[in-house]
Amino acid sequence: MCALVCMVMVLLDARTRGRSREDRQLRLFLALAYFVTSLGWMGLVFYTIYPRVFIYYHSVFLLTLMLDQVLFYRFVAILTGTGEYRRFGRLHLTIPLGIVAVSVIFDFAVPVSLQAAVVYGDDASGTWFRVMYAVTTLVFVVYNTVYPALSLRNIRRYKRCVVNYSSDARRSSLGWLALMQALILVCVPVPLAGLLFRVPVFATNYFVWLGALPTFVFYLILCYNLLDDNYVIIRQDAGEEEYPPDKSIPPGRARFTRYMREKKPYLNPKLRITDLAAGMHTNRSYLSAFINKEFGMNFCRLINRYRLAHLERLRFSPDNAGKSKMELVIMAGFSNYRSYLRVKEEERLVN
């Protein structure tokens, strides 16, 4: 039910006016992932309450155990793209479909009564279906371990790139996504695998909840942060082609400082390095390398230092005597107060 409710909310949000084509596609893709994973949880309901239905549903259940992790991994891969085209390998889909095809063959070849005996622990030794059913549990453990680990790798790579692309420290951190992937990696596979293996210790309600609760929280946090636009996608803007290396004006410290003082681009809370590069008629790569070399820091940290300095000027200005700290933070270019606190804490740790 949680997955289905999140699916409906994401679909409704995809129809919101003002959404870019890329944002709508991201939401539609996540809605599909929610739908597939809801079919997987339905399989566990059948397994627990309607054993005979589960036997007929087994191949669908096996497919959802693999596809839900593949779809969530693809969603994370889109969200954490670094602006370069990365082809999604066909093996991510062909392997699950191949395993399910073999499972369907066994479903037709083995009588339903014998399948039930294997699944629910009665004596049915020596059957090939027993091997196939053991593969179901193995698949569950592997997919719920490998794909979250791959997602964490993508998030790590993304964090190294996004600091030289976006100035919004909070929305580009994706800390919420990394935390949930790590939680699922640690908490999900063992308890639910124990349930499918019918290990007495792991088949208790407490251990089943231990495996289900992190996923439940993951669905809610993922849905909330997507609806809140708490992310930054690194885009390869078409405008970058206007200033290839041979047409770019090399940035210099004096020119850069004058531009920041006069134009104050840091007041834009969604400022990206591509926006700054276009304003200075230079190449994004040139500008990024210049900032790292000349100032000894990444683009995000430099822009937020400008915002902190501007905030101090706003505080001492008589014109802002009646304004609250929240208002001043927004006026300084921070997207919200939490973003300001994050930047302030990072600066404190650095200094």
Side-chain angles (χ1 to χ4, degrees), residues 46-279:
F46 292 153
Y47 175 85
T48 307
I49 302 176
Y50 304 110
R52 190 172 184 85
V53 175
F54 177 77
I55 299 303
Y56 290 105
Y57 192 77
H58 170 254
S59 291
V60 177
F61 177 62
L62 176 59
L63 180 62
T64 61
L65 291 183
M66 295 179 282
L67 275 190
D68 67 341
Q69 288 302 317
V70 172
L71 291 174
F72 280 120
Y73 166 72
R74 179 58 176 160
F75 171 81
V76 173
I78 296 172
L79 206 60
T80 58
T82 58
E84 300 175 357
Y85 175 74
R86 288 181 176 270
R87 188 167 172 267
F88 191 65
R90 294 181 180 178
L91 285 178
H92 292 291
L93 295 176
T94 54
I95 290 178
L97 293 175
I99 293 175
V100 169
V102 175
S103 175
V104 170
I105 293 174
F106 279 109
D107 287 346
F108 282 105
V110 178
V112 173
S113 58
L114 191 57
Q115 294 181 40
V118 171
V119 173
Y120 291 97
D122 296 332
D123 185 19
S125 58
T127 64
W128 280 103
F129 183 80
R130 174 179 289 279
V131 176
M132 194 63 226
Y133 183 69
V135 169
T136 301
T137 306
L138 179 63
V139 161
F140 176 81
V141 174
V142 169
Y143 271 73
N144 279 271
T145 302
V146 171
Y147 277 95
L150 291 176
S151 294
L152 286 173
R153 182 202 62 181
N154 286 348
I155 294 170
R156 183 180 179 184
R157 184 182 64 239
Y158 167 85
K159 286 184 175 182
R160 291 198 301 264
C161 295
V162 76
V163 291
N164 285 310
Y165 176 82
S166 171
S167 63
D168 194 334
R170 189 182 74 88
R171 293 187 185 277
S172 60
S173 68
L174 292 187
W176 55 272
L177 186 57
L179 176 63
M180 294 316 303
Q181 292 292 330
L183 190 60
I184 290 177
L185 184 62
V186 172
C187 297
V188 171
V190 175
L192 295 186
L195 174 66
L196 294 175
F197 268 131
R198 300 189 68 81
V199 177
V201 176
F202 292 112
T204 63
N205 288 336
Y206 297 106
F207 277 96
V208 173
W209 272 108
L210 180 63
L213 190 58
T215 310
F216 174 78
V217 174
F218 171 69
Y219 296 160
L220 294 177
I221 290 181
L222 183 57
C223 181
Y224 168 79
N225 282 279
L226 194 73
L227 299 184
D228 190 42
D229 295 318
N230 191 15
Y231 60 90
V232 172
I233 296 178
I234 300 178
R235 295 179 173 89
Q236 195 73 26
D237 293 349
E240 294 181 46
E241 299 175 2
E242 298 179 11
Y243 302 104
D246 59 333
K247 294 184 180 180
S248 296
I249 302 176
R253 191 179 186 103
R255 178 170 171 260
F256 180 85
T257 304
R258 184 173 63 254
Y259 181 86
M260 297 296 288
R261 183 179 62 251
E262 294 175 355
K263 302 296 183 180
K264 295 182 173 57
Y266 50 83
L267 296 183
N268 175 11
K270 295 183 179 180
L271 180 69
R272 301 168 301 170
I273 196 169
T274 48
D275 302 323
L276 190 58

